[in-house]
Amino acid sequence: MGTLVEEIFSQKAGRSVHAGEIVLLDVDYIMSHDNTTPLAIKAFEMIGKPIFDKQKIVLHFDHAYPAPNILAATNHKKIIEFAQKEDLPYLFKQGVCHQVMIEEGFVTPGAIIIGADSHSNTYGALGAFGAGLGSTEIGVAWVTGKSWFKVPETIRVELSGETQTGVYAKDVMIYIAGMLGMDGATYRSVEFGGRYIETLPMHERIVFSNMSTEIGAKCGLIAADQVTAEYLRENTPIEGPFEEIHPVSPNYERVLEIDVSTISPQLSCHPTVDNVRDLKELEGLDVNEIYIGTCTNGRYEDIEIAANLLKGQQVDSVTRVIVTPASQMIYKKAMKNGLLDILMDAGCTITGVGCGACIGRHGGILAPNERALTTMNRNFIGRMGSPLAEIYLASPATAAASALTGKITDPRNYLRQ
Amino acid sequence: MGKAWAFSENLNTDEIIPGRFNITIDPQELAKNVFCEIKPDYAPNVVVGDVIIGGQNFGCGSSREHAPIAIKGSGAKCIIAASYARIFFRNAVNIGLPILESREAAEGINEGDEIEVDLSSGKIDNMSTGESFQAQPLPPFIIKIAEAGGIINFLQTNSIEDLL
């Protein structure tokens, strides 16, 4: 009996656990990337004990890959040498870690996955417990195969209704961030459910779990169902069957009920994710760069939305429009289906896969006093380069519509044609 | 005794150390750029034993351990904040950077105040105003990690099961 996180933890612990308890759990996978692995290696070497199970360790190159400078290259070299020395089976160089984790079949319902990246919450969209930790704890888990957790209280977000044309999961999640604030769910599990979520495809569900980090949540969970099972069968090596873990007579700390049909396109405005406004209030504001990509909105369907909106048109001549597919699987599908041709013909720049400009190291860095509209999940000062630049967060449709004008633009102006 | 450096609520890890500096893991190198955008006078003037004062949700944002490492590397004795973001809390405990939680202290200490902190008892004295505060007690297993000086030291002589 319990909330979804209590049920997942109870299954793993082999006994019934409840909010407030401290539990030591076996983890299924331990994820880290080129930015966080070097510190994990340092911690591992200082502990001085052998790896518990190599099959649990999954390394990725995505934050600064291919290396934009000598220091990044040195990090990559160090990680490759470590992986060779320890004979580690998994080192991926094919896109944003969270997307590749899902594509490669590491994320399954009920799994416990820790990652040295704050957006490891992403895995919650498939009914797995995913949470971000620091590098030292990743090194600890390499040695022990375990991690400690305080079983969190749960905020249930019950979403009903259907979104209006031009409104996406991103708009709904930005709206929720505005309601709860950036510390509104600190230490909590956020459980997303209701009729809207039940009918939502996986690429949209992922937006909620991914951005639960931005309201401080430990994890952002969606109960696995038929949509999850079909998604896994069609897109990953995982066949199933899966045990569907659901909340059972849950005791929620708080329930938030939202009718999504009342929500219009939203923006997270400079300089915090919870600085939320209706797009209409800021329509016409000039932007210097449009950035479409990341673990939040760099998926095939996001690129498809942009391509459909930009087909046969030209983006604003002075605005830089950059598209970074989240993974090579997405890149290949977009290429095969002609989406990249459409975007390039419209004047967009397509980059290689990975985290790109979202980490402010390469692939679209901002100059002082510039403004970007992006599909990222975070708009902190200095995130994309200059601390004097402004970052606004929106859906891929809003980003594409704004690319045409070089100003913040309501996508409904184009989608209704 | 150390000087207080006061920071605002919801201080994020990009503000503690911007992503572009996280290419190194050297504490001294990271310390050169700690708070460089929001408090550029900190890094050149901080003295060993100074104290960081924060508001709610201190250290929110990215999971980067570079943030507490940069603070520890700068010589700060501890952080006193109203509350912490969850990954930052774990990271600070794991690397052996003492963190104290006290809303009253966070509100009752201003930049430049002289602060005396007893880490074992959690007693905080503001010598500039004469006020005293008591930090929230930490859970027993966190104290085990803290007393060992961090999780790495703990695991060198214990197993992970010894935490609970």
Side-chain angles (χ1 to χ4, degrees), chain A residues 276-340:
Chain A
V276 173
R277 308 264 288 273
D278 280 345
L279 180 147
K280 279 285 174 211
E281 294 175 46
L282 291 170
E283 212 173 359
L285 196 66
D286 286 324
V287 291
N288 306 96
E289 180 169 307
I290 303 281
Y291 187 67
I292 299 174
T294 79
C295 55
T296 317
N297 279 126
R299 296 193 169 75
Y300 178 82
E301 294 82 356
D302 302 319
I303 294 168
E304 190 177 39
I305 288 167
N308 285 343
L309 204 141
L310 295 175
K311 190 171 187 175
Q313 305 194 69
Q314 284 297 304
V315 302
D316 179 61
S317 60
V318 295
T319 306
R320 308 183 300 268
V321 183
I322 300 168
V323 180
T324 302
S327 73
Q328 293 199 157
M329 190 181 281
I330 293 165
Y331 196 117
K332 281 165 71 176
K333 188 174 172 188
M335 185 162 61
K336 185 167 162 245
N337 292 344
L339 301 186
L340 300 188

Side-chain angles (χ1 to χ4, degrees), chain A residues 335-353:
Chain A
M335 185 162 61
K336 185 167 162 245
N337 292 344
L339 301 186
L340 300 188
D341 279 347
I342 292 170
L343 292 169
M344 284 192 253
D345 290 345
C348 301
T349 303
I350 313 291
T351 76
V353 301

